[in-house]
Each structure stands twice: as C-alpha cells, then as structure tokens.
C-alpha cells in the first residue's frame, strides 16, 4: 500500500501516529417485508418517491481527528446532507469505548460536533472499528461484554444507528466474528428500532470467505442487520472502471446475503450497502471518479440498497498545487463536495 494516500482501513493507525490514529429468522422473510422502510430510518417505503439528502441511508464518513476535517455544519449547508457517519470508536486497551481509543465519549470536541449537527437538523451514525488500533471485538472477552461496550456508545448519544466497521484481525478471527454478531443481536434486542450496519472489505466479486462467513453467522444467529456494507477499493488488481467493479462486488454481496438469509432478490438488495472511496485510493490502478459515483448512484436507485456512503468527507476537495491525495483531498480535479453532492441525491 502507498502510505502517501491513507486508505480508510489505515486511517486509525495513521491518526495514532500523529495524535493516536446483526431478530431475523433463519427462514425466508415475508414477501411484503421488503416494501417497508428500514426500522428507525427515514428511507421511504417502496413505491413512495424518495426525498434526497435527508436520509440515514446517506451518511458519508467524516473523521474529526484526521485530515483537517471540515465543520460538519458547513458540509450540511453546502450539500444538503443531514447525516454523517463519525469515525472511529476504539478500545481504550480494555473493554471500554473511546474516540480513537483515547478521547472520552462525552464532554469533548466529538460531542460538540454531534450537538452542532443535531442543532442544524441532522444526526449521526457512529462507527466502531476501522483497520487499526485496539478493537472492542477483540478486547471484550464475551458477546455480552461487547454488547455492553456498544451500549455505552448508544447511550452516550441516544443513537438511532450504529456502524461496526470490522476489519483486519477483528475480521479474520472466526471467534471474534461470532462475538460481534452475537453482540449485535443483543443490541438489537435491547434497543428496539435501532439500525445496525456491518461494514467490511471485499473482492471484486463480493465478500471473501471471511465476509461470507460473517453474513452466515449473522443469519444463523437471527441477526436482523439492516445493511451489510462493502468497501469496494484496495482490490489489489481489477479490470474496468471502479464504478463497474463496484457493481460486480455489490452483486456478489447481494448473492451472499440472499443465500444466507433466504431473502427474495428485492429484500436482499434492501439489506446491502456500499461505502466507496472518493478519488485516488492507495493503489496506483484505482481512481474513483465522480462518474463512478454516478454509476453507483444509478445502481442504488434501481435496487433501493440500504446504504450509499463513502470515505471520506475529509477528502472531498481538490488538492492544492503540488498536493497528493491523502487525508485532506481526493487527488482528482473536482469542485468542493462533488462526491458528497452525488450521494446526497440518493433517497433510499
């Protein structure tokens, strides 16, 4: 990987260097279940014309501890986006959640930012995990303990939605994958209506063996996860545009979710999501253009997927003269918030 272009999966580690960088039944769902909006979201029911921008399904990531982040309220005013996915909650070394593993859940700049977003009519999804740092899924020794750690985050902000970004060693360990799934099942039971997302890496054809196993574990546990989300970049080789490759990966994800849960095609699509990256990734053959985002937007609108987001708002601007893509810019020629304005067109 090219360290000069921090990918979303490496962000927590890089920030640490500078300042510390899913009840679904095992049987098939009722046919009309797919016509209803996701619990707790503002996504419209099938057949209802969506209103863009203000939906939980569009909550671009912003990392307030990295990359000269823009004020969320400025982003809202410029793009119409109302929701953000704020990253990352990590372990403080034990089974206790903190921002970046070091900042208290409340009483600091993170809470102030959330209050400002809500004051402007928006809201937040909080993301737990990321590529590096101490992971709660590993540091908490049981599903009940992990659910308790997640609950602390939910209670701190009265959250309507929680994102578990499961990567690296937390993702590759089968015991931890089961712990995360079981913990989320507890969270769902204890917080009726809460929306949960599980975000993970992918191959060009969909989730790898670990990802498929995670989804199967979720189905076996009866986890009613609202959105299984893939990050379609850092492929280590692909052909065609990043937009078309993303569609192929999403089709693979849809097939995996459909198979595990026994969903209809329509219901399966409504339980998948995408978290892309804007501009240049850390692989030389990967540049995600606004045209690619338009391709993904078309797919999202066609299939009413659960989530269309990206990493990250921090990068949604053109680099200055001589600057390279990284934490604060995309590495491509663009107008400010060009990528955010595209995802803002999605209504669920």
């Amino acid at each position: 990987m090219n360290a000069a272009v921090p990918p979303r999966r490496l962000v927590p580690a890089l920030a640490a260097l500078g300042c510390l960088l899913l009840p679904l039944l095992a049987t098939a769902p009722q046919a009309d279940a797919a016509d209803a909006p996701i619990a707790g979201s503002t996504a419209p029911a099938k057949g209802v014309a969506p209103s863009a921008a203000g939906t939980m399904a569009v909550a671009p990531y912003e990392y307030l501890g990295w990359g000269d982040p823009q004020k969320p309220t400025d982003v809202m005013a410029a793009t119409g986006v109302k929701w953000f996915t704020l990253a990352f909650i990590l372990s403080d070394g034990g089974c206790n959640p903190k921002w970046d593993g070091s900042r208290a859940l409340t009483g600091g700049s993170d809470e102030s930012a959330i209050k400002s977003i809500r004051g402007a009519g928006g809201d937040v999804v909080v993301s737990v995990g990321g590529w590096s740092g101490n992971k709660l899924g590993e540091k908490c020794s049981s599903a009940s303990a992990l659910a308790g750690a997640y609950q602390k985050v939910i209670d701190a902000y009265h959250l309507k939605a929680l994102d578990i970004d499961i990567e690296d060693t937390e993702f590759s360990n089968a015991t931890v994958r089961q712990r995360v799934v079981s913990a989320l099942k507890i969270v769902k039971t204890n917080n009726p209506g809460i929306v949960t997302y599980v975000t993970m890496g992918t191959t060009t054809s969909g989730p790898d063996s670990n990802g498929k196993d995670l989804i199967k574990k979720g189905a076996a546990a009866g986890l009613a996860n609202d959105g299984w989300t893939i990050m379609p970049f850092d492929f280590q080789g692909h052909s065609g545009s990043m937009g078309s490759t993303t569609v192929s990966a999403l089709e693979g994800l849809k097939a995996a979710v459909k198979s595990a849960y026994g969903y209809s095609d329509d219901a399966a699509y409504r339980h998948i999501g995408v978290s892309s990256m804007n501009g240049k990734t850390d692989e030389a053959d990967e540049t995600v253009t606004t045209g690619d985002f338009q391709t993904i937007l078309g797919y999202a609108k066609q299939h009413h997927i659960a989530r269309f987001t990206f990493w990250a708002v921090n990068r949604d601007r053109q680099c200055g003269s001589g600057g390279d893509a990284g934490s604060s810019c995309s590495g491509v020629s663009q107008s400010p918030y060009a990528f955010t304005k595209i995802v803002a067109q999605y209504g669920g």
Side-chain angles (χ1 to χ4, degrees):
M1 292 184 176
N2 180 357
V5 186
R8 110 189 234 128
R9 302 183 195 175
L10 294 183
V11 166
L14 292 174
L17 294 176
C19 61
L20 201 163
L21 196 19
L22 253 177
L24 257 182
L25 301 174
T27 56
Q30 296 299 311
D32 61 352
D35 292 344
I38 293 174
S41 78
T42 56
K46 185 177 180 181
V48 177
S51 58
T55 174
M56 184 191 297
V58 175
Y61 284 82
E62 185 163 20
Y63 193 171
L64 298 177
W66 171 76
D68 188 25
Q70 306 94 323
K71 289 182 179 179
T73 51
D74 289 349
V75 182
M76 295 169 75
T79 68
V81 162
K82 296 294 186 183
W83 285 77
F84 294 88
T85 304
L86 298 185
F88 282 110
I89 294 290
L90 291 168
S91 155
D92 66 351
C95 188
N96 191 53
K98 289 188 175 182
W99 290 103
D100 286 345
S102 63
R103 302 191 305 277
L105 284 180
T106 59
S109 58
D110 304 281
E111 182 178 27
S112 295
I114 291 173
K115 286 182 175 179
S116 73
I117 292 167
R118 288 175 168 168
D123 212 337
V124 299
V125 181
V126 172
S127 186
V128 180
W131 179 260
S132 296
N134 291 319
K135 313 295 181 55
L136 287 169
E138 294 175 298
K139 295 297 183 178
C140 298
S141 60
S142 67
S144 59
L146 180 57
Y150 292 160
Q151 192 66 49
K152 288 181 181 179
V153 182
I154 294 166
D155 290 345
Y157 296 111
H158 305 288
L159 295 179
K160 298 181 179 71
L162 185 70
D163 172 46
I164 308 302
D165 188 330
I166 181 168
E167 306 187 48
D168 194 31
T169 51
E170 195 177 28
F171 184 58
S172 62
N173 186 310
T175 299
V176 177
R177 290 197 299 271
Q178 182 65 61
R179 187 179 298 150
V180 168
V181 162
S182 298
L184 282 175
K185 177 68 182 298
I186 294 171
V187 165
K188 280 288 207 179
T189 299
N190 292 341
N191 302 270
I194 194 168
V195 171
T196 57
Y197 302 120
V198 175
T199 303
M200 57 189 160
T202 185
T203 73
T204 57
S205 58
D208 64 9
S209 58
N210 289 335
K212 290 176 180 177
D213 177 70
L214 182 65
I215 295 168
K216 289 177 181 177
K217 281 179 165 56
L223 172 62
N225 187 46
D226 297 279
W228 297 95
T229 304
I230 53 170
M231 298 179 288
F233 49 84
D234 291 356
F235 290 123
Q236 298 183 344
H238 77 287
S239 60
S241 71
M242 288 295 284
S244 63
T245 303
T246 295
V247 167
S248 295
L250 281 166
E251 282 296 300
L253 173 64
K254 172 256 180 181
V257 171
K258 177 182 178 181
S259 174
Y261 279 91
Y263 284 145
S264 66
D265 285 329
D266 182 68
Y269 280 121
R270 291 171 183 268
H271 286 84
I272 67 170
V274 59
S275 179
S276 187
M277 181 182 281
N278 55 316
K280 293 183 178 180
T281 77
D282 63 326
E283 296 192 10
D285 67 337
E286 292 184 1
T287 298
V288 188
T289 67
T290 52
D292 292 321
F293 264 46
Q294 291 286 1
T295 296
I296 301 169
L297 174 63
Y299 180 93
K301 287 182 173 180
Q302 178 184 359
H303 297 297
H304 305 285
I305 66 175
R307 191 180 185 212
F308 178 17
T309 184
F310 73 100
W311 184 269
V313 170
N314 305 59
R315 308 176 75 245
D316 198 4
R317 48 194 166 189
Q318 188 167 316
C319 299
S321 178
D324 295 321
S327 60
S328 298
C329 59
S330 64
V332 298
S333 178
Q334 66 159 102
S335 58
Y337 303 125
F339 292 88
T340 304
K341 289 177 180 179
I342 292 172
V343 300
Q345 297 173 42
Y346 185 53

